[in-house]
């Protein structure tokens, strides 16, 4: 579940269409006028990288260029992340929109911004990814990309049972669809 195989492989993988989710977030922010938005990720590989690549493509509409400098990988340790947010605050205020590769990081950043007197979405629009249960509990409610984790588990189990029963499964990499959930954290 949720692997990102490179090259030839011979195992089953069930995941989500992270590229499409990144594209949907980028496209939405672009349509709201945030053509300089930045993308904050926890890593620059696997799902975060696919989400970034989709975001990047959406930002490159009408011949615009979205440079690698708009992908920022934040540290894993909380105190270092908060320090990174402090360093990035002037840039956040300049670009006015930040897409995060997870709801957790987006909510943490929203709390940081609130602690520093910055209003979301009035001063900075924020998006997440995952549509965790906290996305609709936080204020403002978080605009995010929904992925159906239960469906992913169901598909993986069903495919495992088919393999146990000796069925040959042609498609090795199943990607469940995702969709944008617009809430209150983006100023349109």
């Amino acid at each position: 579940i949720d692997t990102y195989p490179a090259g030839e492989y011979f195992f089953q993988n069930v995941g989500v269409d992270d590229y499409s989710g990144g594209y949907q977030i980028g496209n939405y922010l672009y349509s709201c006028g945030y053509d300089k938005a930045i993308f904050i990720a926890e890593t620059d590989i696997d799902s975060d990288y696919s989400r970034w690549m989709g975001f990047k493509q959406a930002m490159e509409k009408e011949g615009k260029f979205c440079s690698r400098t708009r992908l920022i990988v934040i540290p894993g340790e909380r105190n270092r992340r908060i320090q990174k947010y402090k360093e990035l605050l002037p840039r956040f205020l300049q670009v006015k929109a930040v897409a995060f590769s997870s709801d957790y990081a987006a909510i943490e950043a929203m709390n940081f911004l609130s602690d520093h007197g910055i209003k979301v979405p009035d001063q900075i629009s924020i998006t997440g990814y995952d549509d965790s249960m906290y996305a609709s509990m936080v204020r403002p409610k978080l605009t995010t990309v929904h992925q159906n984790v239960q469906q992913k588990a169901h598909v993986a189990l069903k495919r495992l049972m088919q393999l146990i029963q000796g069925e040959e499964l042609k498609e090795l990499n199943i990607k469940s669809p995702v969709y944008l959930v617009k809430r209150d954290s983006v100023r349109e």
Side-chain angles (χ1 to χ4, degrees):
I1 295 177
D2 285 336
T3 61
Y4 291 83
E8 193 171 3
Y9 62 97
F10 302 98
F11 58 87
Q12 294 289 317
N13 179 52
V14 177
V16 298
D17 192 351
D18 289 305
Y19 182 90
S20 171
Y23 185 89
Q24 290 176 53
I25 284 288
N27 188 53
Y28 174 58
L29 291 175
Y30 188 95
S31 73
C32 292
Y34 302 112
D35 61 341
K36 301 284 190 247
I38 56 178
F39 191 87
I40 305 288
E42 295 160 35
T43 180
D44 60 358
I45 59 172
D46 299 335
S47 62
D48 282 2
Y49 185 74
S50 292
R51 294 168 187 183
W52 153 249
M53 291 304 292
F55 175 88
K56 180 181 184 331
Q57 182 184 3
M59 287 287 152
E60 291 184 335
K61 290 183 178 185
E62 301 169 4
K64 295 188 180 201
F65 179 67
C66 180
S67 77
R68 178 72 165 69
T69 62
R70 289 170 60 184
L71 168 62
I72 298 166
V73 178
I74 54 176
E77 196 268 316
R78 186 182 188 286
N79 289 335
R80 291 181 53 223
R81 277 194 313 277
I82 298 302
Q83 183 58 41
K84 187 69 171 178
Y85 296 148
K86 286 179 185 175
E87 294 168 15
L88 291 169
L89 188 53
R91 189 167 176 200
F92 287 175
L93 289 165
Q94 178 187 19
V95 299
K96 296 184 178 25
V98 183
F100 286 83
S101 66
S102 73
D103 289 351
Y104 178 86
I107 292 168
E108 179 182 67
M110 286 171 57
N111 287 336
F112 166 83
L113 293 169
S114 178
D115 290 347
H116 288 82
I118 308 297
K119 292 185 178 5
V120 174
D122 295 338
Q123 293 172 277
I124 299 175
S125 291
I126 300 286
T127 65
Y129 198 110
D130 294 324
D131 197 17
S132 69
M133 66 180 186
Y134 302 108
S136 60
M137 294 170 62
V138 69
R139 295 295 178 259
K141 292 180 182 181
L142 184 63
T143 295
T144 186
V145 171
H146 178 82
Q147 62 169 309
N148 189 332
V149 176
Q150 292 82 6
Q151 177 193 24
K152 187 170 36 175
H154 176 75
V155 169
L157 182 59
K158 180 180 176 187
R159 293 179 71 78
L160 177 60
M161 296 305 293
Q162 289 173 299
L163 289 170
I164 289 170
Q165 295 171 3
E167 289 184 46
E168 185 179 328
L169 303 175
K170 301 274 186 219
E171 192 173 356
L172 296 178
N173 195 7
I174 305 297
K175 292 183 181 181
S176 298
V178 296
Y179 59 88
L180 180 67
V181 179
K182 296 179 188 177
R183 293 197 177 105
D184 305 321
S185 63
V186 173
R187 184 175 176 190
E188 294 186 350

